Amino acid sequence: MERQDNKYKYSQLEVYKESLESIHIKTKTIIVNVLLFLFALLLIFFLTRDSIDPSDLWPSLFMIFVIIVVNLLFMSITDDAYNSLHVAMYVTIIGIHVITISLVFAFQTPSIFTSLFIAYALSAIYQDFKAMMLSNFSLFISGSILILRYPDIFRLSGNTDSQTFYILVFLIVFVLLLSLSSYILIKRKTFFYNQLAQIKESEVRNM
């Protein structure tokens, strides 16, 4: 990611802003790793249930392990922490949605469909605009695939085609509202970082 050296009068201020964002992303990555670990423990608990086929859960457990290891590896990089942490964040978001899709395909029940929103909640922890847009896009694509591929999961009564259409419309509106709320919240966070950078710039000018 290229630094915008002309954004501030002093180029080191952009580096200062990036360091703040790096600390923020690193903290959020640790939180996401802990939550993924707890989710893995929950899946391991389900492995003990006789009613669940272990082969349905092992792929998700393996992917969780891979995501945690990838995050730890990227977090250990200090030479270019800013870009490394962003790459880890994007890989994590995509991986989380792949895990939830695999769970939905494995169980094919209406209740497991809520795992997509759990994936979105985990992605929202990062509070990054590009990350949230990626998460929103993944949520929409995942939801659309499931609705079109398994319409019987959501069937109540009456015409299935009309129900599928209404669910797709609801999904579109829902994702748009999520995108708008994410944009507003993240703009506030960006304003906070800009204010800190401007304060730092004033300190440099007065030196």
Side-chain angles (χ1 to χ4, degrees), residues 1-42:
M1 298 181 182
E2 298 180 356
R3 293 191 177 99
Q4 302 175 10
D5 292 334
N6 296 326
K7 186 172 182 179
Y8 301 102
K9 182 177 181 180
Y10 301 95
S11 60
Q12 64 266 33
L13 296 179
E14 186 67 23
V15 178
Y16 172 73
K17 182 183 176 183
E18 288 183 1
S19 67
L20 290 177
E21 293 184 5
S22 297
I23 294 172
H24 171 82
I25 296 177
K26 188 172 184 179
T27 301
K28 301 301 182 181
T29 301
I30 294 173
I31 295 174
V32 170
N33 273 359
V34 171
L35 293 175
L36 285 174
F37 178 75
L38 295 176
F39 185 61
L41 292 180
L42 179 62

Side-chain angles (χ1 to χ4, degrees), residues 53-72:
D53 186 359
S55 61
D56 292 335
L57 296 180
W58 282 120
S60 297
L61 283 170
F62 175 74
M63 293 178 65
I64 291 175
F65 172 76
V66 170
I67 291 174
I68 292 176
V69 171
V70 168
N71 280 335
L72 293 176

Side-chain angles (χ1 to χ4, degrees), residues 90-138:
Y90 299 141
V91 170
T92 299
I93 291 173
I94 294 175
I96 289 173
H97 280 86
V98 171
I99 290 171
T100 55
I101 291 175
S102 66
L103 289 174
V104 173
F105 283 168
F107 294 99
Q108 300 182 23
T109 60
S111 58
I112 198 65
F113 184 76
T114 57
S115 62
L116 290 175
F117 300 100
I118 296 177
Y120 179 85
L122 289 174
S123 303
I125 293 174
Y126 287 108
Q127 295 180 331
D128 181 88
F129 181 71
K130 291 181 180 178
M132 293 312 303
M133 291 300 101
L134 176 61
S135 180
N136 292 342
F137 178 76
S138 300

Side-chain angles (χ1 to χ4, degrees), residues 113 139-149 154 160-176:
F113 184 76
L139 176 62
F140 175 73
I141 295 299
S142 303
S144 300
I145 292 174
L146 295 174
I147 292 170
L148 296 175
R149 180 68 178 82
F154 310 96
T160 304
D161 293 334
S162 62
Q163 289 180 14
T164 301
F165 173 75
Y166 292 144
I167 294 174
L168 280 174
V169 170
F170 168 78
L171 182 62
I172 293 172
V173 174
F174 183 73
V175 171
L176 288 176

